[in-house]
Amino acid sequence: MAPPAQSQRSPSPSQPSGKSELSDLKLQLRKFAGSRAPGVDDSKRELFKKVISYMTIGIDVSSLFGEMVMCSATSDIVLKKMCYLYVGNYAKVNPDLALLTINFLQRDCHDQDPMIRGLALRSLCSLRVANLVEYLVGPLGSGLKDSNSYVRMVAVIGVLKLYHISASTCIDADFPSMLKHLMLNDSDTQVVANCLSALQEIWSAEASRSEEAPREREALISKPVIYYLLNRIKEFSEWAQCLVLELITKYVPSDSSEIFDIMNLLEDRLQHANGAVVLATVKVFLQLTLSMTDVHQQVYERIKAPLLTLVSSGSPEQSYAVLSHLHLLVMRAPYVFSSDYKHFYCQYNEPSYVKRLKLEMLTAVANESNTYEIVTELCEYAANVDIPIARESIRAVGKIALQQYDVNAIVDRLLQFLEMDKDYVTADALVLVKDLLRKYPQWSHDCIAVVGNISSKNVQEPKAKAALIWMLGEYSQDMQDAPYILESLIENWDEEHSAEVRLHLLTAVMKCFFKRPPETQSALGAALAAGVADFHQDVHDRALFYHRILRYNVSVAERVVNPPKQAVSVFADTQSSEIKDRIFEEFNSLSVLYQKPSYMFIDKEHRGPPEFADELGNLSIGEAEDNVVPSQRVEENDKDLLLTTAEKEETRGSTGHSQQASFGIDDLLGLGMPAVPDAPPSPPQLKLNAKAALDPSTFQQKWRQLPVALSQELSLSPQAIAALTAPQALLRHMQSHSIHCIASGGQSPNFKFFFFAQKYKESSNYLVECIINTSSAKAQVKIKADDQSTSQAFSTLFESALSKFGIP
Amino acid sequence: MPPLMGIEFLCRVSDVLSDYLGGLNEDVIKDNFVIVYELLDEMIDNGFPLTTEPNILREMIAPPNIVSKVLSVVTGNSSNVSDTLPGATGSCIPWRAADPKYANNEVYVDLVEEMDTVINRDGVLVKCEIYGEVRVNSHLSGLPDLTLSFANPSILDDVRFHPCVRFRPWESHQILSFVPPDGEFKLMSYRVKKLKSTPIYVKPQLSSDAGKWCVNVLVGLRNDHGKTIDSITLQFQLPPCVLSADLTSNTGTVNVLGNKTCSWSIGRIPKDKTPSLSGTLEFESELERLNVFPTFRVGFKIMGVALSGVQIDKLDLKSTPSRLYKGFRALTQAGEFEVRS
C-alpha cells in the first residue's frame, strides 16, 4: 500500500480526460508486466490504484483486462487483492472476460501462499456467474481439504455462495456432508463456525425442496452436536459465539439437570465485553427456563445487571436496542425492574428515540413504592426543551395515574401542568385529565375547578379541544360557565375544522341541555341546525339522530345521551398478549425493535408464497420447546397462531386418548400390515371423521416426522377469493367437509393454514399446509399422511372441498 | 438478525478503520480505499463477521504509517501485507500475536472512571453512579500470565471482561487472571452504584426582579480528595425565548454561542474565591414565570484518584522475567453530570 502522505497529494482521479488516459495506462501497465526490477511493484500499485478508482466512479476500464492480469503475476498480495477486485467487477458483466478470470483465479488457487489461495478462492466464489459454476467445484473441494485453516474457512463460505448460485450443483457435489464432517472435526473454530452458519442456511433453504433437509436441520440441534459446540464455545470468536448461542436456543434439553448444566457453562458469557454475546446468552437463559417458573424468575434477576449496563454504556443505538429488549421483559415481569427505575431516567443529551423508550420503561416499572419518585422525575421532563419529549412525559404521568390506585399526588401534578401556560402542555394534560376522570370520577371537583379556568381559545389541538368539550358536557352542572362556553364554541362552528371536535360539541351540548335546560336551549338549537347542515356525514347523522330522538321523547333521549356512567376500570391495551408472546419468542431479533412479530414485516407482499417454508421451519422449531412445557403454555401458543377452531375445548379433552390410539395404528402400519383394503382411486370411499381431534403439539410433531406425501398448486375460483376476506371464512367451510383447522394466520393477500383430518373410525391422520395467495388466486398445498397410500384420495377430497369454497 | 450483532460489528469496523487510518471521514476513506477494501474483506464474508481482533488484522494487513514507509524505502520490500499468515489465527489465544519480544517489559494499568450524576434543583442527588474501566497497556515478551486483584472488589457492581479474562478465578476469589493482548486494551468495565456525594457542587439560581431575570451560578468544591480538580466546565442551553443574555464570571471565561448554548470554562478552582457566574436575561416578552429551566452539564477531571474508591491491590506476573516495570494510574472525570435548575 502506498503511504497515505503521497496519495493525499495526488490529484483527484475523478476526471480522466478520456480515451488517451486509458491507453496511457495500458502502455504503462504493459511496460511493467514482465519486469522484475526492484520497486516495480510500487509503480504497479499506483497504476492499479488508479485503475480501480476509475472503476469505482463508473468509468469502463475493462479494456485493460489483459494487462491487469499479466501484471498480477506477482507475489505481492496487495496487487493481487486489487486485481481480484478488478476482475470480480468485470466478470459479472462480461462473460468473455469471466472465463479468462476463472483460469487466472484457478491458477492462484494452487499458489503456495495460503493467503493467496484463500483470496483467490474467495474471489472465485464471489463472481456469481451462473453458467460457470462447474469450475467452482474442483477448487472448492480441494479448498475444503486444504492444510491451512484460512483456506478452509474461505472454502466453507464458498460452498454457501455456490449454493446460492446453483443449489443443485452444491448438493450434487455432496458439499453439505463434507461441511458436516468439517464442522465436527476441524481444529479451527472459525472453520467450524462457518460450517455451522453455512449448513443452517443451506438446510433451511432446502427444507421446502428435499425431504432429508428437515432431518438434517434437526440433526444440527441434536444433543451430540450441541454438546460438542458448547464444550468449545470459549474458543470461538465472539461472532461465532452468537451463532452457536442462537442455535442452542433451539435445543430442547431432556431434563432440568441438563438445563442447569448448560446455564452454568454459559453463565460467564453474560460478562462478555461484546453486547451481542450477552444478549444471545440472555435469550438462551430465558428460553431454556420457560417451563420452570421459579428458575425463570431467578434468570430475570441474573440478567438484569448485564442488560442495564449495556444500556448505560455504549452507543445510543445500542442503548435503544437493549432498551427495546428490556421493555419486552418489563412487560412480562415489571416487579423485577421496579427497584432499578433510576436507570431509566433520561439524560439531557440522549437522542429522543432513547428518551422515548425510557419514558415507556418508567411507565411500565412504576408501582406503589416508586411512583412518587418516577412522577417527580417525569415532571422535570415536562419542562424539557425537547417538546415531543415533554409531551411524551406528560402522557407517561397520565398512564401511571391510570395504573395506580393512589393518584392523589399525580392529580395535583397534572393540574399543575394545566396551569403551566404552555399550549402543548395544556393540550396533553387536558386529554389526560379527561381519561383520569373517566376512571376516577371522584376527582371531578378538583379537576373541574382548574379546567374551568382554561380558556377554550388557548386550546387548538383537536384531541385536547375534544377532551375539554367532553368535560364541559359531562360536568356542566359543576361548571358555572359551561353553557356559555359551549355556546360561544357553537357560534364559531364553521371555523372548527375537526369533525371529531364537532361531534363532541354536539354530544356535549346535549348533555348540558339535560342538566341545565334553560341556559342551553338556544345553544342546542343552533348546534343541531349547524350539525344537520354539516357536510361531514357523521356529524350530519348524529345531529339528525339527536334531533329526532328529542322530538320523539325527551326522557328517552336523556337516557340515551346521558346515562349514569360507570367508571372505566381498565382501558383496552393496544397490543394483545398473544403478539407479545410471539415477539418474546423472537427475542434478540429485529422483531423486538419493531415491536412486531416477524411475520408482520416479512410475510407481506414483497415475499412470495414459497418463502413461507422458512416460517414453517420457525414454527416447528418454536413448537419444539413446547413439548417440554406444561400444557398451559401450549394453549398460549395456540392463541399465538390465531387459532380459531371451534372445538378447541373438545380437542383438549380427548387429546391424550386419541394420540395414543393413533400411535398404535402407526406401529401396525410400520410393521408392514397391508394398508386399508379399499385403496384409491375411489375417493368417495375415503370417509373423514367429522369430530376429529388433534392437539397442536402432536400436530407439530407429526408435521416434522412425516415426509411430504403430496405437494401441488391449486387454482381458486374468483368467488373463493372474494369470500376469503379473513382466514375464519375458510375454516368454517372446510370444517363442514370434516377438515379441521389447527392454525391459521396471515393477512391479505397471503394466508396460511394448517389443516388436519382423520379417517373415519380410524385414527390415521392427514396433515395439510395450505398457503393461499389471493392476488394470484393460487393455493400451495402440501399434504402429509400417516397412511401414505390414501394420501391421493385425501388430496382429491381436499381439492373438491376447497373448490366449493365461496360458492353458495 | 440479532440487532446488537449488527451494531457491535459496525462499531468494531469503525474502530478498526479509525485505528488504521487515524480518523474516519469521507476523505480518509477515499484516500485509503485499498486498505479499506482489504480490511472489510477480512472482517466480513457473505454477511458473517470473521476477524475483528485488531491485533490479528494488524498482522494480516499492515497499517499505513511512517515507519513502514521508511522501512519499505530502505529494504525495498514494500508490501504492507505480511508474507505469512498470522500465527494467532491458529493459536487458541486469538487476541495475542505470536511471541512478541521486548527489551523492556512494561505493563501499565489505568483506572478510568466516569461519574454519571443527576442533581435536582434542590441540590439533592437524584442519581449518582460511576462507570469505570480498567485499561491495560502491556508490552511483555512471550506468553505472560498476569493476575490482578482489587483491595475492595465487593463494591464493583456489574463487571464485564475482555475475552482474555478467565472466569473461574474471578468467581471464586475476585481475582483477574489473564493472558493480555499485546498493546493497549480494555481489560474490564464495571459500575459502582449509589454513591453518596459528588466532588463539586453547582448551585444555580434564577430569580426575577422587576421583569428582569437574573442568573446566578456558584461552583465549589464539596470535600477535599487531596487532589486538584482540573478543567471544570459548565454548559447550558438558554431557553429559546431568550433574546439576549449578559453573563459575566469572576473566574474563567464565558461564551454564549449562536445556538444559545452558554459555556463557562473555569479550569481550576482558585483557593481564595468561589467561582460564580451572574448576569441577566432579556426575554422576547415579559414573563411572569419561566417554564423551561436550563440543565447545567458539568465537566471535570481529577487525576490520581478513582472516586468510586476502587483500589488495585497488586499485579503479579507468573514466571517473572528479569525486569518488569509496572505502572498504575487513576483518573476520574465527569460523564453525564447534570444539574437541573
Side-chain angles (χ1 to χ4, degrees):
Chain A
M1 179 67 233
Q6 233 173 49
S7 57
Q8 270 160 12
R9 265 175 235 127
S10 71
S12 158
S14 55
Q15 260 92 44
S17 51
K19 288 230 153 99
S20 64
E21 287 229 2
L22 273 189
S23 49
D24 221 37
L25 276 172
K26 200 169 194 160
L27 278 177
Q28 289 185 38
L29 280 170
R30 223 170 252 171
K31 196 173 80 192
F32 291 124
S35 162
R36 293 238 177 270
V40 80
D41 276 350
D42 264 349
S43 340
K44 276 194 205 167
R45 262 194 219 172
E46 277 306 304
L47 284 175
F48 270 41
K49 246 181 98 171
K50 225 180 249 178
V51 172
I52 287 179
S53 58
Y54 284 165
M55 187 179 86
T56 316
I57 56 175
I59 293 168
D60 185 12
V61 283
S62 56
S63 57
L64 300 174
F65 198 88
E67 285 75 15
M68 289 289 282
V69 172
M70 271 198 281
C71 279
S72 59
T74 157
S75 59
D76 186 308
I77 290 192
V78 178
L79 272 182
K80 286 270 187 204
K81 280 183 178 173
M82 287 200 266
C83 192
Y84 293 153
L85 189 69
Y86 172 83
V87 295
N89 194 39
Y90 283 111
K92 260 174 268 178
V93 287
N94 195 335
D96 301 336
L97 295 184
L99 206 59
L100 280 175
T101 311
I102 291 213
N103 282 332
F104 162 62
L105 289 174
Q106 271 187 334
R107 198 165 10 122
D108 277 355
C109 284
H110 301 293
D111 199 284
Q112 54 182 358
D113 184 346
M115 191 104 182
I116 291 187
R117 286 205 299 273
L119 287 169
L121 193 57
R122 182 181 291 161
S123 316
L124 195 59
C125 296
S126 303
L127 290 182
R128 303 204 172 136
V129 184
N131 52 349
L132 297 176
V133 282
E134 72 247 44
Y135 299 102
L136 293 185
V137 176
L140 274 178
S142 46
L144 286 176
K145 294 190 196 91
D146 201 286
S147 59
N148 190 292
S149 63
Y150 181 78
V151 184
R152 290 200 300 276
M153 175 179 102
V154 172
V156 172
I157 293 293
V159 170
L160 185 58
K161 288 176 184 162
L162 172 65
Y163 176 82
H164 286 305
I165 308 168
S166 163
S168 56
T169 320
C170 178
I171 305 285
D172 291 344
D174 207 25
F175 281 138
S177 65
M178 286 167 80
L179 291 191
K180 198 171 164 187
H181 178 79
L182 268 185
M183 181 179 82
L184 296 176
N185 297 296
D186 205 285
S187 58
D188 186 283
T189 47
Q190 192 61 54
V191 178
V192 175
N194 285 2
C195 284
L196 179 62
S197 78
L199 281 175
Q200 276 186 310
E201 220 173 308
I202 291 178
W203 290 133
S204 49
E206 270 304 284
S208 55
R209 275 174 257 179
S210 99
E211 287 171 15
E212 59 172 333
R215 239 192 339 269
E216 289 289 349
R217 230 161 55 146
E218 289 289 303
L220 280 183
I221 51 171
S222 65
K223 194 167 176 171
V225 178
I226 295 284
Y227 275 50
Y228 163 76
L229 294 170
L230 272 174
N231 285 330
R232 295 185 70 174
I233 195 154
K234 286 183 187 130
E235 302 166 32
F236 283 101
S237 79
E238 47 206 310
W239 314 111
Q241 287 185 14
C242 297
L243 191 74
V244 173
L245 289 167
E246 186 61 36
L247 187 76
I248 293 171
T249 58
K250 296 177 184 156
Y251 172 65
V252 184
S254 57
D255 54 26
S256 54
S257 74
E258 210 181 333
I259 294 177
F260 287 122
D261 284 348
I262 295 178
M263 297 212 312
N264 279 332
L265 191 70
L266 293 180
E267 186 167 16
D268 56 339
R269 297 297 99 190
L270 286 174
Q271 269 148 356
H272 200 281
N274 188 325
V277 176
V278 176
L279 204 58
T281 315
V282 167
K283 180 174 185 180
V284 172
F285 277 35
L286 289 173
Q287 296 283 10
L288 282 181
T289 57
L290 264 183
S291 60
M292 305 187 283
T293 324
D294 299 358
V295 188
H296 199 61
Q297 295 311 319
Q298 286 169 23
V299 166
Y300 280 125
E301 292 291 343
R302 178 66 188 85
I303 61 180
K304 199 165 75 174
L307 286 178
L308 290 174
T309 308
L310 278 180
V311 173
S312 50
S313 58
S315 60
E317 293 84 7
Q318 176 177 306
S319 305
Y320 181 78
V322 180
L323 275 172
S324 305
H325 282 86
L326 274 174
H327 188 248
L328 186 70
L329 296 180
V330 165
M331 289 301 165
R332 296 173 70 89
Y335 45 89
V336 176
F337 294 90
S338 56
S339 58
D340 298 280
Y341 59 91
K342 281 191 181 173
H343 286 281
F344 308 125
Y345 282 5
C346 300
Q347 301 283 354
Y348 179 76
N349 44 1
E350 275 167 341
S352 54
Y353 54 85
V354 172
K355 281 188 189 164
R356 189 159 301 141
L357 210 49
K358 283 191 167 178
L359 290 176
E360 275 184 45
M361 295 294 287
L362 285 174
T363 339
V365 298
N367 64 8
E368 285 82 357
S369 60
N370 58 22
T371 305
Y372 182 78
E373 280 84 6
I374 290 182
V375 171
T376 312
E377 179 73 13
L378 285 172
C379 292
E380 296 277 349
Y381 306 149
N384 201 301
V385 241
D386 187 353
I387 291 176
I389 290 300
R391 309 183 72 136
E392 207 69 53
S393 50
I394 297 171
R395 276 175 223 152
V397 174
K399 271 190 218 157
I400 293 176
L402 292 178
Q403 284 168 8
Q404 300 301 319
Y405 299 99
D406 175 33
V407 281
N408 246 324
I410 305 182
V411 172
D412 281 350
R413 295 283 170 71
L414 276 177
L415 296 180
Q416 277 171 21
F417 287 150
L418 283 179
E419 289 167 343
M420 238 169 97
D421 214 21
K422 267 199 280 189
D423 46 359
Y424 60 88
V425 176
T426 316
D428 268 307
L430 270 177
V431 177
L432 287 174
V433 170
K434 178 204 68 175
D435 286 343
L436 210 62
L437 286 178
R438 286 173 65 196
K439 186 163 181 179
Y440 309 106
Q442 67 270 28
W443 290 102
S444 60
H445 274 286
D446 305 66
C447 295
I448 292 312
V450 181
V451 171
N453 292 334
I454 295 172
S455 159
S456 61
K457 290 187 191 69
N458 293 348
V459 184
Q460 288 309 326
E461 286 170 49
K463 273 218 166 349
K465 208 162 181 178
L468 178 63
I469 292 172
W470 182 85
M471 284 186 273
L472 285 170
E474 193 67 31
Y475 298 98
S476 43
Q477 73 277 22
D478 305 324
M479 282 156 111
Q480 200 75 61
D481 303 335
Y484 311 106
I485 299 174
L486 287 173
E487 195 168 355
S488 71
L489 283 168
I490 290 163
E491 273 165 24
N492 296 324
W493 184 275
D494 293 331
E495 284 152 40
E496 187 49 65
H497 298 292
S498 158
E500 190 191 355
V501 175
R502 297 203 298 271
L503 283 171
H504 271 281
L505 201 49
L506 274 176
T507 313
V509 81
M510 280 288 276
K511 287 179 187 163
C512 189
F513 172 71
F514 293 120
K515 286 167 185 158
R516 299 161 73 172
E519 289 157 288
T520 326
Q521 198 165 15
S522 67
L524 178 64
L528 289 179
V532 171
D534 202 281
F535 63 91
H536 193 277
Q537 195 63 46
D538 289 349
V539 180
H540 169 81
D541 286 357
R542 189 177 287 187
L544 212 56
F545 168 69
Y546 284 157
H547 179 64
R548 287 180 182 157
I549 202 169
L550 279 172
R551 284 233 312 241
Y552 170 71
N553 185 335
V554 177
S555 65
V556 171
E558 179 163 16
R559 280 217 308 275
V560 169
V561 178
N562 217 4
K565 286 190 185 57
Q566 278 187 335
V568 183
S569 56
V570 184
F571 283 92
D573 201 349
T574 43
Q575 216 174 25
S576 69
S577 61
E578 293 98 80
I579 300 254
K580 281 180 194 151
D581 279 352
R582 185 75 179 254
I583 298 174
F584 181 70
E585 274 172 29
E586 290 165 9
F587 195 86
N588 195 18
S589 75
L590 293 176
S591 311
V592 182
L593 267 64
Y594 296 157
Q595 302 192 349
K596 286 179 195 162
S598 60
Y599 70 86
M600 285 192 181
F601 55 88
I602 295 176
D603 279 3
K604 284 244 174 96
E605 297 83 290
H606 41 90
R607 274 226 170 185
E611 302 284 336
F612 270 104
D614 288 347
E615 204 216 35
L616 167 67
N618 294 341
L619 280 181
S620 45
I621 286 167
E623 278 323 278
E625 289 138 17
D626 289 349
N627 295 343
V628 290
V629 167
S631 61
Q632 98 272 6
R633 257 299 294 171
V634 177
E635 282 170 36
E636 273 170 37
N637 219 49
D638 291 356
K639 288 179 211 138
D640 266 357
L641 299 171
L642 309 176
L643 265 198
T644 44
T645 40
E647 73 280 71
K648 203 151 71 186
E649 292 305 315
E650 196 184 333
T651 315
R652 249 171 245 145
S654 57
T655 303
H657 190 71
S658 69
Q659 199 176 327
Q660 275 183 349
S662 78
F663 280 135
I665 295 291
D666 282 354
D667 280 351
L668 283 179
L669 292 174
L671 287 171
M673 291 281 281
V676 200
D678 46 15
S682 45
Q685 286 184 341
L686 180 72
K687 276 199 175 156
L688 296 178
N689 181 1
K691 290 194 172 162
L694 193 68
D695 69 321
S697 60
T698 322
F699 182 92
Q700 290 287 348
Q701 203 180 358
K702 281 185 177 294
W703 186 260
R704 241 178 297 133
Q705 285 164 353
L706 293 170
V708 176
L710 265 174
S711 174
Q712 55 184 337
E713 192 177 85
L714 304 175
S715 292
L716 292 174
S717 64
Q719 291 98 318
I721 298 300
L724 190 65
T725 47
Q728 284 73 15
L730 184 62
L731 304 191
R732 283 191 288 272
H733 170 76
M734 295 308 270
Q735 205 173 326
S736 66
H737 289 84
S738 308
I739 298 171
H740 306 273
C741 182
I742 194 139
S744 66
Q747 285 171 331
S748 182
N750 285 320
F751 292 99
K752 184 176 188 178
F753 303 89
F754 286 101
F755 293 108
F756 73 93
Q758 235 164 39
K759 211 190 263 184
Y760 186 57
K761 288 191 177 162
E762 287 178 56
S763 27
S764 168
N765 293 303
Y766 302 96
L767 314 180
V768 187
E769 179 202 64
C770 176
I771 298 164
I772 297 181
N773 184 301
T774 51
S775 55
S776 63
K778 295 273 192 244
Q780 311 265 349
V781 178
K782 261 186 225 158
I783 296 176
K784 299 187 177 187
D786 283 341
D787 175 7
Q788 299 281 348
S789 60
T790 56
S791 54
Q792 185 61 47
F794 174 74
S795 154
T796 325
L797 210 65
F798 185 83
E799 197 180 334
S800 76
L802 192 62
S803 65
K804 286 180 197 141
F805 176 58
I807 299 168
Chain B
M1 170 77 202
L4 277 192
M5 204 158 148
I7 295 170
E8 287 268 0
F9 180 73
L10 289 174
C11 293
R12 207 64 67 82
V13 169
S14 96
D15 285 353
V16 168
L17 286 182
S18 45
D19 191 28
Y20 261 83
L21 310 175
L24 194 58
N25 57 46
E26 198 181 331
D27 291 336
V28 172
I29 290 189
K30 270 186 186 163
D31 289 337
N32 297 284
F33 65 92
V34 177
I35 281 244
V36 176
Y37 275 133
E38 288 181 64
L39 284 171
L40 288 179
D41 219 23
E42 294 302 334
M43 282 198 274
I44 193 161
D45 194 6
N46 203 41
F48 192 77
L50 296 175
T51 314
T52 49
E53 270 307 323
N55 281 317
I56 301 176
L57 285 172
R58 211 172 281 279
E59 281 184 57
M60 286 175 158
I61 302 155
N65 57 23
I66 311 298
V67 180
S68 75
K69 186 182 157 193
V70 173
L71 259 179
S72 69
V73 171
V74 174
T75 60
N77 171 15
S78 57
S79 168
N80 71 336
V81 172
S82 56
D83 295 334
T84 50
L85 270 177
T89 44
S91 87
C92 50
I93 309 173
W95 54 85
R96 192 167 172 85
D99 220 17
K101 295 255 185 302
Y102 291 101
N104 299 317
N105 283 301
E106 301 165 321
V107 54
Y108 300 95
V109 181
D110 288 357
L111 273 178
V112 181
E113 301 198 331
E114 277 185 8
M115 189 171 226
D116 295 335
T117 307
V118 177
I119 300 172
N120 74 5
R121 69 175 57 101
D122 306 323
V124 177
L125 271 183
V126 176
K127 174 181 158 182
C128 187
E129 262 193 3
I130 278 186
Y131 170 79
E133 287 179 357
V134 181
R135 296 190 193 148
V136 177
N137 193 355
S138 96
H139 299 283
L140 299 169
S141 313
L143 210 62
D145 198 333
L146 293 167
T147 51
L148 178 75
S149 57
F150 293 102
N152 44 359
S154 58
I155 62 167
L156 303 177
D157 193 37
D158 180 47
V159 285
R160 292 215 284 155
F161 301 118
H162 187 275
C164 70
V165 177
R166 298 184 190 101
F167 184 59
R168 297 293 165 206
W170 173 262
E171 200 185 26
S172 49
H173 304 102
Q174 275 86 50
I175 290 171
L176 291 167
S177 154
F178 57 100
V179 176
D182 210 28
E184 213 179 319
F185 69 102
K186 188 170 102 183
L187 179 67
M188 70 177 283
S189 63
Y190 57 85
R191 278 186 306 157
V192 178
K193 285 200 287 192
K194 297 190 181 121
L195 286 150
K196 294 283 180 285
S197 71
T198 55
I200 57 177
Y201 67 83
V202 174
K203 281 186 186 155
Q205 245 182 347
L206 282 158
S207 56
S208 107
D209 178 32
K212 268 197 169 175
W213 282 87
C214 297
V215 188
N216 189 14
V217 189
L218 288 177
V219 177
L221 296 178
R222 177 147 287 163
N223 44 7
D224 216 348
H225 294 271
K227 307 278 181 188
T228 45
I229 303 182
D230 270 323
S231 35
I232 300 175
T233 58
L234 198 76
Q235 262 201 349
F236 61 97
Q237 185 89 34
L238 295 169
C241 50
V242 168
L243 264 189
S244 66
D246 176 29
L247 301 168
T248 48
S249 65
N250 62 356
T251 30
T253 51
V254 184
N255 280 313
V256 181
L257 304 172
N259 56 357
K260 289 182 178 163
T261 308
C262 173
S263 76
W264 176 24
S265 58
I266 302 168
R268 250 173 231 195
I269 291 183
K271 287 221 162 60
D272 50 341
K273 58 186 171 185
T274 309
S276 77
L277 172 88
S278 56
T280 53
L281 301 178
E282 206 173 302
F283 288 92
E284 280 164 4
S285 54
E286 292 255 316
L287 283 180
E288 276 182 42
R289 275 185 308 178
L290 203 56
N291 289 324
V292 177
F293 299 101
T295 299
F296 296 82
R297 277 167 296 149
V298 183
F300 61 82
K301 229 179 212 178
I302 311 173
M303 301 295 289
V305 66
L307 277 185
S308 65
V310 173
Q311 278 175 344
I312 292 177
D313 189 26
K314 59 182 175 189
L315 175 70
D316 290 324
L317 179 62
K318 271 184 209 165
S319 66
T320 318
S322 51
R323 272 156 50 159
L324 171 66
Y325 179 75
K326 295 186 268 190
F328 299 96
R329 271 191 308 187
L331 166 69
T332 302
Q333 56 196 29
E336 295 290 334
F337 195 108
E338 294 176 5
V339 182
R340 294 176 180 153
S341 61

